[in-house]
Amino acid sequence: MPELPEELRRAHLIGIGGAGMSGIARILLARGVAVSGSDAKESRALLSLRAQGAELFVGQRAENLDELAEAPSAVVVSTAIKESNPELAAARARNIPVLHRAQALAGLMEGHRVACIAGTHGKTSTTSMLTVALQHCRLDPSFAIGGDLNESGANAHHGEGGVFVAEADESDGSFLTYSPSVAVVTNVEPDHLDHHGTAEAYVKVFTEFVGRLQPGGLLVVCADDPGAAALGDQAAAEGVRVRRYGRSVTDPADARVLDYKPAPDGGQVRLLLDGEELDLRVAVPGEHMALNATAALLAGLELGAPVSGLAEGLAAFGGVRRRFEFKGRSGDVRVYDDYAHHPTEVSAQLKAVRTAAGLGRVLVVFQPHLYSRTQTFAVEFAEALSLADEVVVLDVYGAREEPVPGVTGAVIADRVTSPVHYQPAFDLAAKLVADLVKPGDLVVTMGAGDVTQLGPEILAELDRRTAGA
């Protein structure tokens, strides 16, 4: 087992229940490190980490550091943790080293062959697909993903193999900490402008990420996405090895998509790979998911896995929580939940949902995420949501941002061309959806905030009405 950096010998993680932080904690615990941490509230992640031996606090106080059995060698934070956080302030006052989450993850990667999956959309799904495919090939990779695999329910794992697969987050530029052997960029489309400022700066950070590749490393890009294609062309001109995938591919050394056939339980993509045709089955719907699977296939081949084993693993991939996750059925109404929170993601997912809906209608319940994103992409969100038969728009989930005057869910709802309902009262949303649905409908709750809680509430409301009929 590779040696850990000294700073990670005894780690305290602030916000340990978050998707990224809990994954780091899980790997540290598996590697025998004493782990402690805190979060604002109890959660499933805290319960799991506590069972694995982590020393945890609910509530963030400076005194938490005093109550630890042993002083931490480092305090780990994410970009979401502000300098005013009492534990962070106490750590700095005591000269305890403070590491960003990405720095801690980079420390865990040391001694491994690393594959990093980046892109504006599709990072979690592609990272998950690659992980499951490598597991199917018995390579037992370590992994850190921004979502929970349906196969294991885990977002991270310390494997005995020499490969580490990680989702690389561009939102705050922290992926520039990694130095992968294989980098996948699914697409490049301006987002997170609250941090990067301009579209040009956002694109530039991906160029810098490619510059972090190990000498002789491979860049995998989607030829169908203009941003990723341009990134690949620039990298190739600078001597970087590049493999492309998509319908736009012309080089025989790349993976050309010849055809895609949707099905209610996923789809099948026919590829031309290294001069031979290959049928790749994907158990999640949408051509965008088939493209993600193709990216995972190319990355897996570079990591030394056989094409047949990778294809079998990708066919068995059961999805990721919150990525078109089936929540349940009430009568003839099915309810799903999805994490899409950018116009391109919303559009791609609703096109895939249309196939899954069959002859039924598609009703989407959308919660905008971030005031800045809502303000910047209101027109694009409305256009994407109009692909549904009926739309419910909730108010903005502000997350790390303060409210912006005049920016609400209504700025999107007012532009939707399908039948639309703006519902600013979250607690009334389930009843509104129950009023709107018809037998055979498919309902999808969508967004990166707490809209994920609505699926069970909608199902419960529909069940109550059926029971009382």
Side-chain angles (χ1 to χ4, degrees), residues 118-120 170 175 185 188 202-210 231:
T120 311
E170 87 289 356
F175 67 167
V185 177
V188 180
Y202 181 82
V203 171
K204 182 182 177 184
V205 80
F206 278 94
T207 302
E208 294 172 354
F209 172 65
V210 173
L231 185 72

Side-chain angles (χ1 to χ4, degrees), residues 121 189-192 339-348 350 364 366-388 391-393 396 407-418 420 446-448:
H121 326 293
E189 186 176 354
D191 195 7
H192 304 290
Y339 190 68
H341 56 282
H342 183 281
T344 301
E345 296 168 351
V346 172
S347 176
L350 286 178
V364 60
F366 180 68
Q367 182 185 53
H369 183 259
L370 299 180
Y371 296 98
S372 58
R373 186 182 285 128
T374 302
Q375 190 172 39
T376 301
F377 297 116
V379 173
E380 292 83 356
F381 272 126
E383 182 178 353
L385 290 168
S386 296
L387 294 170
V391 181
V392 174
V393 180
V396 180
V407 179
T408 69
V411 303
I412 294 174
D414 290 346
R415 294 172 168 85
V416 173
T417 56
S418 295
V420 60
M446 189 172 284

Side-chain angles (χ1 to χ4, degrees), residues 103-122:
Q103 292 174 301
L105 186 55
L108 294 175
M109 292 174 178
E110 290 187 8
H112 294 81
R113 194 169 184 208
V114 177
C116 284
I117 316 301
T120 311
H121 326 293

Side-chain angles (χ1 to χ4, degrees), residues 181-354:
S181 300
V182 184
V184 175
V185 177
T186 55
N187 38 60
V188 180
E189 186 176 354
D191 195 7
H192 304 290
L193 301 186
D194 56 315
H195 174 83
H196 295 284
T198 66
E200 292 76 15
Y202 181 82
V203 171
K204 182 182 177 184
V205 80
F206 278 94
T207 302
E208 294 172 354
F209 172 65
V210 173
R212 298 284 303 174
L213 265 172
Q214 292 282 339
L218 175 71
L219 173 64
V220 177
V221 296
C222 181
D224 296 344
D225 176 76
L231 185 72
D233 290 344
Q234 179 181 346
E238 295 173 356
V240 176
R241 284 197 304 130
V242 179
R243 293 196 79 176
R244 300 166 179 85
Y245 62 96
R247 291 183 181 271
S248 307
V249 161
T250 56
D251 192 320
D254 296 329
R256 182 182 177 187
V257 173
L258 300 175
D259 188 32
Y260 172 75
K261 295 180 179 179
D265 59 348
Q268 183 166 297
V269 59
R270 172 159 290 186
L271 303 174
L272 183 62
L273 180 65
D274 295 327
E276 296 185 7
E277 290 191 11
L278 170 69
D279 286 326
L280 190 64
R281 189 172 68 82
V282 185
V284 285
E287 186 167 346
H288 63 299
M289 286 296 186
L291 286 171
N292 292 341
T294 306
L297 177 70
L298 291 178
L301 290 172
E302 177 67 14
L303 292 169
V307 65
S308 58
L310 290 169
E312 291 173 4
L314 291 168
F317 173 69
V320 187
R321 286 179 181 165
R322 296 231 58 213
R323 272 65 177 181
F324 198 55
E325 179 186 1
F326 181 63
K327 304 302 292 186
R329 178 192 294 269
S330 180
D332 291 332
V333 177
R334 290 172 290 161
V335 178
Y336 291 80
D337 182 47
D338 195 85
Y339 190 68
H341 56 282
H342 183 281
T344 301
E345 296 168 351
V346 172
S347 176
Q349 196 57 61
L350 286 178
K351 289 175 182 176
V353 169
R354 176 66 63 192

Side-chain angles (χ1 to χ4, degrees), residues 32-62:
V33 173
V35 172
S36 61
S38 65
D39 213 336
K41 59 183 179 180
E42 192 65 76
S43 65
R44 184 179 64 182
L46 263 63
L47 291 172
S48 175
L49 292 172
R50 194 177 286 116
Q52 295 174 63
E55 184 179 0
L56 302 180
F57 302 92
V58 176
Q60 294 170 349
R61 310 171 301 137

